[in-house]
Amino acid sequence: YAATIFPFALVVSGLARRQYDHWSTSGFSWTLFASLMLGAGIIIGGFWAYEVLGWGGYWGWDPVENSSLVPWLTLLVLVHGLLVQKAKGALVRTNMLFAILSFLFVLYATFLTRSGVLQDFSVHSFVDLGINNYLVGVLVAGTAVGFGLFATRFREISANPVSIRHLNRELALILSMFVIGAAAIFTFVGMSSPIITGIWGKASQVDTTFYNTVNLPVAIAMALLLGVTPFLGWLDERAGAILKRLSLPLGLTVLGCVIAWVAGVTTPTLLLFVGASVFGLVSNAAVAFRQYRSGWATLGGPVAHIGVALLLIGIVGSGSYDTTSQLMLKAGTPAQAFGYSFTFKGVEEKPGMKPEVQIEVSDGKTTYLATPKLYFSQQTQAMMREPSIKILPLNDLYISPLDVQSHAGEDHQHNPTFEFAKGQTQKIGAYEVTFARFEMGNHGQSDMMSVAAVLNVTVDGRSHELKPELYFDKNGERQMQPVELPPHGAMPAGMPNSRIALGAINVESKMALLEYIDPMNQHQEEAPQLLVEISSKPLMMVVWTGVVLIVLGTLVAFVRRLSPVQEHA
């Protein structure tokens, strides 16, 4: 975050001194540095959530996550704009604007996460720290200084006109700026929806499907530009010459689409997404191979763009074809999922070590012991879980413990559980149950967070809305609040009503695990049980390879800009 102040300060200094073009010389290096630092921070956060926190994914379109993404995207817009400014002397005003915006978006992100306005809408659950006046004051001051100077000096800033009438690299870079800027705008509107809707009524937020829907065409356009731009020069190009250069990438793209179709990517939009990403990957790989002879310092752009293409391909696999199942494992009794057998062996606790949940995993040929961790953290005052991840060539087997229930020596009612996707309908006993959505709140107390599953229950021709809750106390421990199901005609006289409870949730995939408490089906259960989430996550290695290459390419470009001999962009 802090690194974004460098391009902002250089622009403000240039505006104050009426030196409108000189800032970009050192500003290019500092913009690359800021994008490197912020991009690496976002990536490390995603890796931490996936590998350590057991959230089941690396990105959930949470408002707090999005607040860091927006300034990174505007920095990337600025990087491409500075390339045009250096080569053609154009976009001087535009680049100043995005340098200012990037820093202001960081201040806005700090306000969102530290003011408490998102405490009912973010799984990160930041609360009001009592510093809102300072946050707003800094944001207003930064806006007044940046935009105030920009507005008063606007007419004095001169630049060469852009050339967009002919197909060349300048046009491609400007289109890239529009595409990345569109992603920033869509994400900004989505993450700000609680504030925007709160102006006219009850505050609410957009669903994660909003981000996927609006950013899918943006990502396709981005991938296509990744494939075309490396083969364009700064001078006007003929279409025939460009197509000749693109013949090999286009041929390999068709092959990639065929492979994706065979692998199960049959949705037209996703197949187009994969094809565009393969096109960008092949084109930049060819350019990187060609430019390698000129030295490693010229590989920053191609390497970063290869990383972007790999990341897009990995997003399709890990995001659209991720499959998850929640199992209740009774100690010593195997359960099946994804072609594997899982057997809960118990919990091993060693002095000074985090408790390890021991799960024997077998595919019928080989067996290994998975040891995810589930423990209470004194530092965060919450239950923490660290998954066990088996890295396979094409997918990860992801095992995350949710809860250990030990009932030895106690009367316990063993209840059947049912996994629901959002909108799914299942038959439970005499009831037809539809899971509509989640509702989040604070359970009437500031130190408790509550999640309710909104259920539509139909029995005897009548429909009822029920909201079983799962809430977390100040120690981070989970507690269920079951609700009574309506009576039905087949119930014996005097029999108490059945109940239904929300046992576990998966916010990212919108899954709910419901527990059916039937008074007619009671027995003693003494063996400990483990509630565990098992996932098969395709192409995760492709995702991590892509993000590493993005950081590496940006680092190479930054180091190149520090060189006393500035090479042509």
Side-chain angles (χ1 to χ4, degrees):
Y1 272 168
T4 58
I5 199 171
F6 291 115
F8 173 81
L10 288 168
V11 166
V12 168
S13 175
L15 289 170
R17 300 183 182 198
R18 288 184 162 85
Q19 296 176 353
Y20 307 121
D21 190 50
H22 292 81
W23 79 272
S24 62
T25 303
S26 57
F28 205 160
S29 298
W30 285 115
T31 300
L32 287 167
F33 176 77
S35 64
L36 173 64
M37 292 296 102
L38 185 51
I42 293 170
I43 291 165
I44 291 170
F47 186 79
W48 179 50
Y50 180 79
E51 292 274 347
V52 179
L53 297 183
W55 286 6
Y58 50 88
W59 194 260
W61 291 118
D62 184 88
V64 172
E65 299 170 0
N66 296 338
S67 66
S68 64
L69 178 64
V70 170
W72 187 53
L73 291 173
T74 56
L75 283 171
L76 295 180
V77 172
L78 179 56
V79 167
H80 291 79
L82 287 171
L83 285 171
V84 176
Q85 181 174 342
K86 180 181 177 183
K88 295 292 186 177
L91 301 181
V92 177
R93 291 170 176 167
T94 301
N95 292 334
M96 286 185 166
L97 175 63
F98 276 96
I100 295 170
L101 281 175
S102 297
F103 180 64
L104 294 182
F105 279 137
V106 162
L107 297 181
Y108 179 67
T110 307
F111 167 76
L112 284 183
T113 57
R114 300 296 177 178
S115 65
V117 298
L118 297 179
Q119 62 182 343
D120 293 332
F121 303 99
S122 171
V123 296
H124 298 272
S125 300
F126 286 95
V127 297
D128 186 356
L129 299 178
I131 58 174
N132 288 6
N133 291 338
Y134 299 102
L135 294 173
V136 173
V138 171
L139 180 57
V140 171
T143 303
V145 171
F147 282 132
L149 280 171
F150 183 71
T152 56
R153 303 285 196 263
F154 185 82
R155 294 183 179 275
E156 301 177 14
I157 304 171
S158 61
N160 294 331
V162 295
S163 175
I164 58 174
R165 295 185 178 182
H166 302 283
L167 184 59
N168 54 31
R169 181 167 293 191
E170 183 177 358
L171 173 62
L173 289 173
I174 291 173
L175 290 176
S176 299
M177 294 171 65
F178 274 106
V179 169
I180 301 172
I185 292 172
F186 293 147
T187 306
F188 174 81
V189 171
M191 75 180 188
S192 303
S193 57
I195 296 177
I196 297 172
T197 56
I199 296 174
W200 291 282
K202 182 180 179 181
S204 60
Q205 67 175 339
V206 299
D207 192 79
T208 55
T209 55
F210 165 82
Y211 298 102
N212 294 326
T213 301
V214 299
N215 282 312
L216 178 59
V218 171
I220 293 173
M222 185 184 303
L224 291 173
L225 287 167
L226 282 177
V228 173
T229 306
F231 292 95
L232 297 177
W234 290 104
L235 301 178
D236 297 343
E237 298 275 359
R238 291 185 177 181
I242 296 172
L243 287 175
K244 184 177 180 180
R245 296 176 210 162
L246 293 174
S247 57
L248 178 60
L250 288 173
L252 293 176
T253 297
V254 173
L255 178 60
C257 289
V258 172
I259 294 174
W261 177 275
V262 173
V265 184
T266 56
T267 306
T269 52
L270 290 181
L271 190 61
L272 177 60
F273 188 6
V274 171
S277 302
V278 171
F279 179 47
L281 172 64
V282 174
S283 294
N284 283 277
V287 170
F289 179 77
R290 184 181 64 194
Q291 292 185 188
Y292 176 74
R293 299 176 183 177
S294 301
W296 63 269
T298 65
L299 297 180
V303 169
H305 292 156
I306 289 172
V308 173
L310 286 174
L311 176 60
L312 294 177
I313 294 171
I315 287 173
V316 173
S318 62
S320 300
Y321 297 93
D322 178 351
T323 51
T324 300
S325 178
Q326 289 184 347
L327 302 178
M328 183 68 78
L329 300 179
K330 180 180 176 181
T333 303
Q336 307 295 320
F338 305 116
Y340 292 87
S341 173
F342 301 89
T343 306
F344 177 39
K345 294 294 186 179
V347 179
E348 182 177 3
E349 298 191 35
K350 298 178 181 178
M353 304 289 287
K354 299 173 183 177
E356 289 185 348
V357 178
Q358 298 188 327
I359 305 171
E360 185 179 88
V361 184
S362 175
D363 61 359
K365 298 179 181 178
T366 60
T367 301
Y368 74 96
L369 187 66
T371 55
K373 298 176 178 63
L374 182 67
Y375 60 95
F376 180 77
S377 169
Q378 295 294 337
Q379 180 178 358
T380 63
Q381 290 296 296
M383 290 300 295
M384 305 295 289
R385 50 192 57 88
E386 297 180 11
S388 170
I389 304 174
K390 180 72 170 180
I391 301 175
L392 301 170
L394 296 178
N395 70 297
D396 285 3
L397 184 64
Y398 192 94
I399 304 172
S400 181
L402 300 179
D403 194 20
V404 176
Q405 300 174 0
S406 179
H407 309 288
E410 300 178 4
D411 289 344
H412 172 68
Q413 183 179 323
H414 179 67
N415 305 307
T417 57
F418 300 83
E419 189 176 58
F420 279 77
K422 185 177 179 181
Q424 184 179 1
T425 301
Q426 295 188 53
K427 189 77 172 177
I428 301 180
Y431 304 92
E432 189 175 86
V433 180
T434 301
F435 169 46
R437 65 185 184 279
F438 285 120
E439 283 187 358
M440 300 181 67
N442 61 6
H443 202 67
Q445 301 182 37
S446 60
D447 60 351
M448 291 189 181
M449 175 182 173
S450 128
V451 180
V454 180
L455 308 177
N456 295 320
V457 179
T458 301
V459 63
D460 294 340
R462 294 184 178 181
S463 182
H464 309 264
E465 183 178 90
L466 302 179
K467 297 181 179 180
E469 289 183 288
L470 177 66
Y471 67 94
F472 309 86
D473 63 17
K474 61 183 179 181
N475 294 323
E477 296 182 356
R478 306 149 59 91
Q479 299 181 38
M480 294 187 299
Q481 278 198 340
V483 295
E484 283 194 354
L485 289 162
H488 58 86
M491 289 178 59
M495 176 66 66
N497 290 351
S498 300
R499 295 183 297 162
I500 195 165
L502 175 61
I505 64 173
N506 186 318
V507 176
E508 181 183 3
S509 58
K510 303 297 183 184
M511 302 288 289
L513 188 74
L514 300 180
E515 184 173 328
Y516 179 53
I517 307 171
D518 186 357
M520 299 179 63
N521 184 29
Q522 297 184 359
H523 66 272
Q524 299 297 318
E525 177 66 52
E526 298 192 359
Q529 296 181 102
L530 169 69
L531 179 62
V532 63
E533 186 172 86
I534 314 292
S535 302
S536 176
K537 301 184 178 296
L539 302 185
M540 284 305 303
M541 186 57 68
V542 176
V543 171
W544 301 128
T545 302
V547 296
V548 167
L549 290 178
I550 291 173
V551 172
L552 180 61
T554 308
L555 177 61
V556 170
F558 170 63
V559 172
R560 175 187 174 184
R561 298 298 164 186
L562 293 179
S563 172
V565 179
Q566 295 292 320
E567 299 183 47
H568 192 275

